Amino acid sequence: MSERTPEQIDAELTRTREELTATVNELAERLNPRSLAANAKDTAKESAAKASHAARNTAADVAADVRDGDRRTIGILAGAAVATLGFLAWALKH
């Protein structure tokens, strides 16, 4: 290994200091409450969009099954309707 000059050592120290400063700044930004809140908000929006898309697809599939006369799907929907009405009737009495 060759000997380094004082200028090379100084340049390496400067470069290392700049890298550490950039790392600390990045960590500070990542841990900033506003950044954390913004990231959580973005994640929640993405999850809601995915769930909404999945629900729309499911509703479209169910509607297609009903249009096609799928007895199983129609039976499930009828059962859900009766259960909902039964629950509402019970809730109104209590």
Side-chain angles (χ1 to χ4, degrees):
M1 183 172 190
S2 65
E3 291 292 317
R4 296 183 296 169
T5 66
E7 291 80 17
Q8 289 172 323
I9 293 171
D10 189 47
E12 184 178 340
L13 287 173
T14 300
R15 192 171 43 256
T16 301
R17 196 175 302 115
E18 289 171 352
E19 290 172 358
L20 284 172
T21 299
T23 301
V24 168
N25 289 341
E26 182 180 340
L27 288 172
E29 178 60 28
R30 285 185 185 181
L31 297 175
N32 180 318
R34 286 191 177 123
S35 294
L36 292 172
N39 289 342
K41 181 180 171 183
D42 291 344
T43 301
K45 281 183 178 181
E46 289 172 14
S47 295
K50 288 178 184 177
S52 174
H53 182 70
R56 273 189 252 122
N57 286 343
T58 300
D61 291 344
V62 169
D65 288 347
V66 170
R67 272 193 307 274
D68 294 342
D70 182 10
R71 290 179 183 222
R72 181 175 177 268
T73 302
I74 293 169
I76 291 170
L77 288 174
V82 168
T84 301
L85 290 174
F87 174 76
L88 289 174
W90 175 83
L92 289 174
K93 285 185 177 182
H94 294 84

